[in-house]
CSV table of all heavy atoms in Angstrom, one decimal:
chain,number,residue,atom,x,y,z
A,1193,PHE,N,92.2,84.3,84.6
A,1193,PHE,CA,93.6,84.6,84.8
A,1193,PHE,C,94.5,83.6,84.3
A,1193,PHE,O,95.5,83.9,83.6
A,1193,PHE,CB,93.8,85.0,86.3
A,1193,PHE,CG,95.3,85.0,86.7
A,1193,PHE,CD1,96.0,86.2,86.3
A,1193,PHE,CD2,95.9,84.0,87.4
A,1193,PHE,CE1,97.4,86.2,86.6
A,1193,PHE,CE2,97.2,84.1,87.7
A,1193,PHE,CZ,97.9,85.2,87.3
A,1194,LEU,N,94.2,82.3,84.7
A,1194,LEU,CA,95.2,81.2,84.3
A,1194,LEU,C,95.1,81.1,82.7
A,1194,LEU,O,96.2,80.8,82.1
A,1194,LEU,CB,94.7,79.9,84.9
A,1194,LEU,CG,95.2,79.9,86.4
A,1194,LEU,CD1,94.7,78.5,87.0
A,1194,LEU,CD2,96.7,80.0,86.6
A,1195,ALA,N,93.9,81.3,82.0
A,1195,ALA,CA,93.9,81.1,80.6
A,1195,ALA,C,94.9,82.2,80.0
A,1195,ALA,O,95.5,81.9,79.0
A,1195,ALA,CB,92.5,81.4,80.2
A,1196,PHE,N,94.9,83.5,80.5
A,1196,PHE,CA,95.9,84.4,80.0
A,1196,PHE,C,97.4,84.0,80.4
A,1196,PHE,O,98.3,84.1,79.6
A,1196,PHE,CB,95.6,85.8,80.5
A,1196,PHE,CG,94.5,86.5,79.8
A,1196,PHE,CD1,93.3,86.6,80.3
A,1196,PHE,CD2,94.7,86.9,78.5
A,1196,PHE,CE1,92.2,87.1,79.6
A,1196,PHE,CE2,93.6,87.6,77.8
A,1196,PHE,CZ,92.4,87.6,78.3
A,1197,ALA,N,97.6,83.7,81.7
A,1197,ALA,CA,98.9,83.6,82.2
A,1197,ALA,C,99.6,82.3,81.6
A,1197,ALA,O,100.8,82.4,81.4
A,1197,ALA,CB,98.8,83.4,83.7
A,1198,LEU,N,98.8,81.3,81.3
A,1198,LEU,CA,99.4,80.1,80.8
A,1198,LEU,C,99.4,80.0,79.3
A,1198,LEU,O,99.9,79.0,78.8
A,1198,LEU,CB,98.8,78.8,81.4
A,1198,LEU,CG,98.8,78.8,83.0
A,1198,LEU,CD1,98.1,77.5,83.5
A,1198,LEU,CD2,100.4,78.7,83.4
A,1199,PHE,N,98.9,81.1,78.6
A,1199,PHE,CA,98.8,81.0,77.2
A,1199,PHE,C,100.1,80.5,76.5
A,1199,PHE,O,100.1,79.7,75.6
A,1199,PHE,CB,98.4,82.4,76.6
A,1199,PHE,CG,98.4,82.4,75.1
A,1199,PHE,CD1,97.4,81.8,74.4
A,1199,PHE,CD2,99.4,83.2,74.5
A,1199,PHE,CE1,97.4,81.9,73.0
A,1199,PHE,CE2,99.3,83.3,73.1
A,1199,PHE,CZ,98.4,82.6,72.4
A,1200,PRO,N,101.3,81.1,76.8
A,1200,PRO,CA,102.5,80.7,76.2
A,1200,PRO,C,102.8,79.2,76.4
A,1200,PRO,O,103.4,78.5,75.5
A,1200,PRO,CB,103.6,81.5,76.7
A,1200,PRO,CG,102.9,82.6,77.5
A,1200,PRO,CD,101.5,82.2,77.9
A,1201,PHE,N,102.3,78.6,77.4
A,1201,PHE,CA,102.6,77.1,77.6
A,1201,PHE,C,101.7,76.3,76.9
A,1201,PHE,O,102.0,75.5,76.1
A,1201,PHE,CB,102.5,76.9,79.2
A,1201,PHE,CG,103.6,77.6,80.0
A,1201,PHE,CD1,103.2,78.7,80.8
A,1201,PHE,CD2,105.0,77.3,79.8
A,1201,PHE,CE1,104.3,79.4,81.4
A,1201,PHE,CE2,105.9,78.0,80.4
A,1201,PHE,CZ,105.6,79.1,81.3
A,1202,TYR,N,100.3,76.5,77.1
A,1202,TYR,CA,99.4,75.5,76.5
A,1202,TYR,C,99.3,75.8,75.0
A,1202,TYR,O,99.0,74.8,74.4
A,1202,TYR,CB,97.9,75.5,77.1
A,1202,TYR,CG,97.2,76.8,77.1
A,1202,TYR,CD1,96.6,77.1,75.8
A,1202,TYR,CD2,96.9,77.5,78.2
A,1202,TYR,CE1,95.8,78.3,75.8
A,1202,TYR,CE2,96.3,78.7,78.1
A,1202,TYR,CZ,95.6,79.1,76.9
A,1202,TYR,OH,94.8,80.2,76.8
A,1203,SER,N,99.6,76.9,74.6
A,1203,SER,CA,99.5,77.1,73.0
A,1203,SER,C,100.7,76.5,72.3
A,1203,SER,O,100.7,76.5,71.1
A,1203,SER,CB,99.3,78.6,72.8
A,1203,SER,OG,100.4,79.4,73.1
A,1204,ASN,N,101.7,76.2,73.1
A,1204,ASN,CA,102.9,75.7,72.5
A,1204,ASN,C,103.0,74.2,72.6
A,1204,ASN,O,104.1,73.6,72.3
A,1204,ASN,CB,104.2,76.3,73.0
A,1204,ASN,CG,104.5,77.6,72.4
A,1204,ASN,OD1,104.5,77.6,71.1
A,1204,ASN,ND2,104.9,78.6,73.1
A,1205,ILE,N,102.0,73.5,73.2
A,1205,ILE,CA,102.0,72.1,73.3
A,1205,ILE,C,102.2,71.3,72.0
A,1205,ILE,O,101.6,71.7,71.0
A,1205,ILE,CB,100.6,71.6,74.0
A,1205,ILE,CG1,100.7,72.0,75.5
A,1205,ILE,CG2,100.6,70.0,73.9
A,1205,ILE,CD1,99.4,71.8,76.2
A,1206,GLY,N,103.2,70.5,71.9
A,1206,GLY,CA,103.5,69.8,70.7
A,1206,GLY,C,104.3,70.5,69.7
A,1206,GLY,O,104.4,70.1,68.6
A,1207,LYS,N,104.8,71.6,70.1
A,1207,LYS,CA,105.7,72.5,69.2
A,1207,LYS,C,107.0,72.5,69.7
A,1207,LYS,O,107.9,73.4,69.3
A,1207,LYS,CB,105.1,73.8,69.1
A,1207,LYS,CG,103.7,74.0,68.5
A,1207,LYS,CD,103.3,75.4,68.3
A,1207,LYS,CE,102.0,75.4,67.5
A,1207,LYS,NZ,101.5,76.8,67.5
A,1208,ALA,N,107.5,71.4,70.4
A,1208,ALA,CA,108.8,71.4,70.8
A,1208,ALA,C,109.9,71.3,69.8
A,1208,ALA,O,111.1,71.6,70.0
A,1208,ALA,CB,109.1,70.3,72.0
A,1209,ASP,N,109.4,70.8,68.6
A,1209,ASP,CA,110.4,70.5,67.5
A,1209,ASP,C,110.8,71.8,66.7
A,1209,ASP,O,111.4,71.7,65.7
A,1209,ASP,CB,109.8,69.4,66.6
A,1209,ASP,CG,108.5,69.8,66.1
A,1209,ASP,OD1,107.9,70.6,66.6
A,1209,ASP,OD2,108.0,69.0,65.3
A,1210,ILE,N,110.3,72.9,67.1
A,1210,ILE,CA,110.6,74.2,66.4
A,1210,ILE,C,112.1,74.5,66.5
A,1210,ILE,O,112.6,74.6,67.6
A,1210,ILE,CB,109.8,75.4,66.9
A,1210,ILE,CG1,108.3,75.2,66.6
A,1210,ILE,CG2,110.4,76.6,66.3
A,1210,ILE,CD1,107.4,76.2,67.1
A,1211,LYS,N,112.7,74.5,65.4
A,1211,LYS,CA,114.2,74.6,65.4
A,1211,LYS,C,114.5,76.1,65.2
A,1211,LYS,O,113.9,76.8,64.3
A,1211,LYS,CB,114.9,73.7,64.3
A,1211,LYS,CG,114.6,72.3,64.7
A,1211,LYS,CD,116.1,71.6,64.8
A,1211,LYS,CE,116.0,70.3,65.6
A,1211,LYS,NZ,114.7,69.5,65.4
A,1212,PRO,N,115.6,76.6,65.8
A,1212,PRO,CA,116.0,78.0,65.4
A,1212,PRO,C,116.4,78.0,64.1
A,1212,PRO,O,116.9,77.1,63.5
A,1212,PRO,CB,117.1,78.3,66.4
A,1212,PRO,CG,117.6,77.0,66.9
A,1212,PRO,CD,116.4,76.0,66.8
A,1213,PRO,N,116.2,79.2,63.4
A,1213,PRO,CA,116.6,79.2,61.9
A,1213,PRO,C,118.1,79.2,61.7
A,1213,PRO,O,118.9,79.7,62.5
A,1213,PRO,CB,116.0,80.6,61.5
A,1213,PRO,CG,116.0,81.4,62.8
A,1213,PRO,CD,115.8,80.4,63.9
A,1214,LYS,N,118.5,78.7,60.6
A,1214,LYS,CA,119.9,78.8,60.1
A,1214,LYS,C,120.0,79.6,58.9
A,1214,LYS,O,119.6,79.0,57.8
A,1214,LYS,CB,120.4,77.4,59.9
A,1214,LYS,CG,120.7,76.5,61.2
A,1214,LYS,CD,121.9,75.6,61.0
A,1214,LYS,CE,122.4,75.0,62.3
A,1214,LYS,NZ,121.4,74.3,63.0
A,1215,PRO,N,120.5,80.8,59.0
A,1215,PRO,CA,120.5,81.6,57.8
A,1215,PRO,C,121.6,81.0,56.9
A,1215,PRO,O,122.7,80.5,57.2
A,1215,PRO,CB,121.1,83.0,58.3
A,1215,PRO,CG,121.6,82.7,59.6
A,1215,PRO,CD,120.9,81.5,60.2
A,1216,SER,N,121.2,80.9,55.6
A,1216,SER,CA,122.0,80.3,54.5
A,1216,SER,C,123.1,81.1,54.0
A,1216,SER,O,122.8,82.3,53.6
A,1216,SER,CB,121.1,79.7,53.5
A,1216,SER,OG,121.8,79.4,52.3
A,1217,LEU,N,124.3,80.6,53.9
A,1217,LEU,CA,125.4,81.3,53.3
A,1217,LEU,C,125.7,80.8,51.9
A,1217,LEU,O,126.8,81.0,51.3
A,1217,LEU,CB,126.7,81.1,54.2
A,1217,LEU,CG,126.5,81.8,55.5
A,1217,LEU,CD1,127.7,81.5,56.4
A,1217,LEU,CD2,126.2,83.2,55.5
A,1218,ASP,N,124.7,80.1,51.3
A,1218,ASP,CA,124.9,79.3,50.0
A,1218,ASP,C,124.6,80.3,49.0
A,1218,ASP,O,123.5,80.2,48.3
A,1218,ASP,CB,124.0,78.1,50.1
A,1218,ASP,CG,124.3,77.2,49.0
A,1218,ASP,OD1,125.4,77.4,48.3
A,1218,ASP,OD2,123.4,76.4,48.5
A,1219,THR,N,125.5,81.2,48.6
A,1219,THR,CA,125.4,82.1,47.4
A,1219,THR,C,126.6,81.9,46.6
A,1219,THR,O,127.7,81.6,47.1
A,1219,THR,CB,125.1,83.5,47.8
A,1219,THR,OG1,126.3,84.1,48.4
A,1219,THR,CG2,124.0,83.8,48.8
A,1220,PRO,N,126.5,82.1,45.3
A,1220,PRO,CA,127.7,82.1,44.5
A,1220,PRO,C,128.9,82.9,44.8
A,1220,PRO,O,130.0,82.5,44.9
A,1220,PRO,CB,127.2,82.5,43.1
A,1220,PRO,CG,125.7,82.4,43.2
A,1220,PRO,CD,125.2,82.5,44.6
Side-chain angles (χ1 to χ4, degrees):
Chain A
F1193 165 72
L1194 285 179
F1196 279 104
L1198 297 177
F1199 173 72
F1201 296 110
Y1202 65 73
S1203 67
N1204 272 318
I1205 288 172
K1207 292 187 177 173
D1209 51 348
I1210 291 174
K1211 295 238 157 35
K1214 286 216 166 60
S1216 163
L1217 297 175
D1218 188 20
T1219 68

